[in-house]
Structures are given as C-alpha cells and as structure tokens.
Amino acid sequence: MRLTFDVNGVGQQADDVWPGESLLYVLRERMGLPGTKNACEQGECGSCSVYLDGTLVCACLVAAPQAQGRAVRTVEGLATDSAGGLDHIQQAFVETGAVQCGFCTPGLIMATDDLLANTPTPSDAEIREALAGNLCRCTGYEKILDAVRLAASRRTEVTP
Amino acid sequence: MPLPAFTLHRPRSAADAIALLDEDCLAYSGGTELLMAMRMGLIRPTALVDLKRIDELNTITLGADRLLIGAGASHDRVAGDALVAEHAALLATAERLVGNARVRAQGSIGGNICFAEPRSDVATVLVALDATVLLQSASSRRSVPATEFFLGPYWTAREPGELLTAISIPLPAPAGVYLKFQTVERPTVAVAAVALPEGGYRIVVGAVGDLPVSADYAQLTAVDAADLAARVEPVSDLTGSERYKRHVTEVFVRRAVAALAGGR
C-alpha cells in the first residue's frame, strides 16, 4: 500500500508499505529518521515515543497504516530553530548531564515535551509518573529529573 | 521486527466490524497488547479489523440508571471524561494509573479487558463497580457481568465472532478507593474498596491472582485482611513469591479499608 502522511510538518509518501510494518519501522527505515529508537517493541521502554496527531504514542505499537493521513512529530522535529539548534528540553538534558549512552534520551525528551505541554510546572511526583514508562539503564534517573525541572523552569520564564 | 502478514479491514460501523470477526480475524483497537502478542508469535490472525474509525465505539453516555462507556475509548479518554468523573470516579482513578503515558493514550478500555491480563487495573475496578459488558455478534446481543466475563488469564467469555461494544456501569456507582503496589509496568497487588449504595462494603483484590477476588461485608470493621490474603491465589514471579504477595495483599487490604474509613 501507499502511505501518505505528514512527518515533522512535511508531507511524505512511502510506497510498497505492508500492513505488518510498524510506524517505528517506517520512520527509521523508510524516512531515514533514526532519532526514534527501537528497543523493547512491547510498549514498555518508551524509546520510540512520537506524537501521532499530537498524542504521545509508542511508534512500535502503531501499525503503519494507522498513520495514513495523519501527522507525526518525532524528536527530529522538536527544535524549531532551522539553524540546527536545540529545543529547550534538549538543551536542559545536555546541561544537566542527563545523557549517558543516549539511547533512551529521544523518548525521554518527547515524554518531557508532552508533560510540560500539559503540566507546565510539574511536581516531582508528576514528573515521575509522566516518565514512569521511559526506561534508562545508565544514569539512575536523578539527572533526568534535574533536566525536566530545569526545562520546566525555563519554559515558565518564556511563557508566563 | 515486522509482524507476520495480515489483511487490514477498516469498517466505519460496529455492524460492519462484527460481520468480519471470527477466530482468524481479530479486533484491533489500541494495539498495545495485540501487536505485541502478534510480534511474539503467540497469535497469528490472518486479518485485523481496525476499530479506531468507528465513532459509535468511542462514545461515553449517561442512561437512566447506567453509565455506558464505548469499548474503544482510550484509557486517557475515560480518565478525563466528565461523566466518568461525576458518576464513576473510581474508574477514572484507576484509568489514570494504567501502564504509562503512551499506553494510556493508545490502549482502549475494551481491549484491556478483552486481553484479560490478570494484572489489569480496569478489571479489578469493574468488578467492584458491578459492571457488565455488552457483547454483540452478527446474530445475538448479550450482557455479561464482569465477574462472569473474566474466566482466567487471557481468557474471557467473549466468543470469536463477538465484539465487546461497551461497558455498562449501574448507577449510582459506589464510591471508594483504589490502591495498588507496583514496581514494574503492572501491579503486584491491587485493591478496590467501595461503600455499596444499598449499604455494606465490597473489597476486591486484583492483580495478585488469576482472577479478582471479591468479598462483601455488612460493616467495614468486619473486613478480615488476613482472611482475604489467605483466599487469593498469588502467582510467584519476578515481582515476588507467593508468601510475599500474600503479605502485601494483607497490608494493602488494611490500607484500603483505612483509607475508605477515613473518607479518602
């Protein structure tokens, strides 16, 4: 089948897609967007978090035909700075050292973006709940929580 | 890893979807359990029926004496719905705690209970609320109490040609508390404690065994946490031994009773 959808604001088309492909596969292998990571393929690790029509989903659990006619936003589409700069959440992860091997980072950044969009000044409990399904096997999460707090404080400054 | 080959149907009405369903043609809603089971080779449907574009499966409506929740409603949708908050707040509480943010956005309440994972948050609460499920096939329509719908792990009373169209909660629904102990993606022990509208109390212990265990009491002081902990049949796994889970069950039943007595 032919898949026509919007990826990070740009209309895209993929041919010979078969129903058994996941959205994750299409993004990584057909669209050349490797930022979204493939790990558990069971919806438990959060590494493949993307927005589908504005809803945070696991791309591994979305069959490719589900994306027909819809808008996908990946970690590559987070920064709006065309000069290649970082989004403020990405910048906060860098500054707090919340990245070690980096594999979980895109998913955590997408989940943080979703959290702050709905809850601009989250409590620690709200941060923990929002990120509960994003697994990191390196850092022990403390610096990730620091990054979310830093991003939240800056977001509050920017949009009072 | 791509899934094995299948045909995808995309009907626009529940009747059209039901006409397609059989042993090899399965309903596909959020996909949070179905696609995983297919990828692991546990099930091999030749066709899937995409339910997401069927509006009638996504409505939440208030009847004269029941709250009707469309089976396709996502966990987030149920958790945030004003009618659910007003008439069955305990279900909203449990739905807010299901899985993780992505599972709540994608997964449906109907899919959750049809999959019948024994550690379902939803199942425990539906038993506490005396919910029934509506099952529709091409030739019949029936209503099954939650206690008779769940038959065992990954096993329900739904027949292959039937679609679970809605969950029906009798009103007034009891108010209460839902507490769980959880270290991984699903609870180790979940306890719903409610004050029944006709008087008395109900305690439902879920997640720890194959099926929720429910017990009614005339007085809250009559709840025997140790007795309930002895009645559940815990499954030993990585989250704990049978003995440990019985202990946690007893503690959480006591906490739930205390929370209900304290009006929390």
Side-chain angles (χ1 to χ4, degrees), chain A residues 18-20 22 38 41-44 46 49 55-58 60-63 65-66 68 70 111 129-130 133-134, chain B residues 1-6 8 10 28 30-32 35-36 39-40 50 52-53 96 100-106 185:
Chain A
W18 64 292
S22 65
N38 180 8
E41 290 195 283
Q42 295 181 15
E44 287 173 11
S49 301
T55 299
L56 192 70
V57 300
C58 289
C60 75
L61 294 181
V62 176
Q66 290 292 332
Q68 174 62 36
R70 301 173 77 179
E129 176 54 33
N134 287 80
Chain B
M1 185 177 66
L3 298 164
F6 60 87
L8 187 69
R10 316 183 93 174
Y28 167 32
T32 58
L35 297 192
M36 190 174 85
R39 197 170 282 133
M40 293 169 78
D50 184 356
K52 280 202 269 311
R53 293 168 196 235
R96 269 193 292 277
N100 59 55
R102 286 155 297 269
V103 167
R104 290 191 293 273
Q106 281 170 279
E185 75 276 8

Side-chain angles (χ1 to χ4, degrees), chain A residues 89-106:
Chain A
I89 297 171
Q90 293 170 317
Q91 187 62 38
F93 270 68
V94 171
E95 288 180 28
T96 53
V99 178
Q100 192 164 321
C101 89
F103 200 87
C104 69
T105 310

Side-chain angles (χ1 to χ4, degrees), chain A residues 26-38:
Chain A
V26 172
L27 291 171
R28 289 180 57 87
E29 309 300 331
R30 293 180 179 272
M31 298 291 121
L33 294 170
T36 308
K37 301 303 182 201
N38 180 8

Side-chain angles (χ1 to χ4, degrees), chain B residues 125-203:
Chain B
V125 169
L126 291 185
V127 169
L129 298 181
D130 256 339
T132 56
V133 301
L134 307 182
L135 297 169
Q136 199 175 329
S137 72
S139 58
S140 76
R141 197 186 280 253
R142 61 187 178 127
S143 174
V144 180
T147 46
E148 293 168 29
F149 178 70
F150 298 108
L151 300 178
Y154 315 103
W155 182 29
T156 71
R158 191 185 63 82
E159 299 290 337
E162 285 181 320
L163 179 67
L164 193 156
T165 55
I167 291 146
S168 173
I169 297 171
L171 302 179
V177 297
Y178 178 69
L179 296 183
K180 62 174 175 172
F181 178 71
Q182 184 168 334
T183 54
V184 290
E185 75 276 8
R186 298 180 201 272
T188 301
V189 174
V191 178
V194 299
L196 300 169
E198 65 271 24
Y201 299 87
R202 173 174 298 164
I203 310 291

Side-chain angles (χ1 to χ4, degrees), chain B:
Chain B
M1 185 177 66
L3 298 164
F6 60 87
T7 308
L8 187 69
H9 300 290
R10 316 183 93 174
R12 298 304 295 250
S13 75
D16 288 347
I18 290 162
L20 292 161
L21 294 175
D22 62 31
E23 277 174 13
D24 297 314
C25 182
L26 307 182
Y28 167 32
S29 186
T32 58
E33 313 284 13
L34 178 73
L35 297 192
M36 190 174 85
M38 286 173 66
R39 197 170 282 133
M40 293 169 78
L42 299 173
I43 49 173
R44 299 176 187 281
T46 55
L48 298 183
V49 182
D50 184 356
L51 304 179
K52 280 202 269 311
R53 293 168 196 235
I54 303 177
D55 293 339
E56 63 193 287
L57 294 177
N58 280 295
T59 56
I60 298 178
T61 54
L62 189 63
D65 55 356
R66 306 190 82 87
L67 181 65
L68 276 175
I69 299 171
S74 71
H75 300 298
D76 269 345
R77 168 86 204 289
V78 178
D81 185 84
L83 287 173
V84 177
E86 185 183 346
H87 298 283
L90 192 63
L91 181 60
T93 300
E95 286 283 45
R96 269 193 292 277
L97 301 171
V98 169
N100 59 55
R102 286 155 297 269
V103 167
R104 290 191 293 273
Q106 281 170 279
S108 68
I109 185 168
N112 179 289
I113 61 173
C114 284
F115 189 62
E117 182 6 284
R119 295 166 294 172
S120 161
D121 296 282
V122 178
T124 305
V125 169
L126 291 185
V127 169
L129 298 181
D130 256 339
T132 56
V133 301
L134 307 182
L135 297 169
Q136 199 175 329
S137 72
S139 58
S140 76
R141 197 186 280 253
R142 61 187 178 127
S143 174
V144 180
T147 46
E148 293 168 29
F149 178 70
F150 298 108
L151 300 178
Y154 315 103
W155 182 29
T156 71
R158 191 185 63 82
E159 299 290 337
E162 285 181 320
L163 179 67
L164 193 156
T165 55
I167 291 146
S168 173
I169 297 171
L171 302 179
V177 297
Y178 178 69
L179 296 183
K180 62 174 175 172
F181 178 71
Q182 184 168 334
T183 54
V184 290
E185 75 276 8
R186 298 180 201 272
T188 301
V189 174
V191 178
V194 299
L196 300 169
E198 65 271 24
Y201 299 87
R202 173 174 298 164
I203 310 291
V204 182
V205 182
V208 69
D210 287 349
L211 290 167
V213 170
S214 177
D216 289 357
Y217 303 89
Q219 302 294 330
L220 210 47
T221 49
V223 177
D224 185 339
D227 171 64
L228 271 171
R231 281 166 57 188
V232 297
E233 293 181 33
V235 179
S236 292
D237 59 20
L238 287 174
T239 66
S241 65
E242 181 186 330
R243 182 163 164 260
Y244 169 77
K245 289 184 178 185
R246 281 194 202 281
H247 173 72
V248 176
T249 299
E250 186 176 338
V251 170
F252 271 70
V253 169
R254 276 208 305 267
R255 286 185 188 177
V257 167
L260 187 60
R264 282 188 290 127

Side-chain angles (χ1 to χ4, degrees), chain A residues 107-131:
Chain A
L108 278 159
I109 286 171
M110 296 304 283
T112 303
D113 187 74
D114 185 55
L115 167 67
L116 298 184
N118 296 309
T119 314
T121 53
S123 66
D124 278 5
E126 286 170 327
I127 296 172
R128 285 170 182 271
E129 176 54 33
L131 302 186

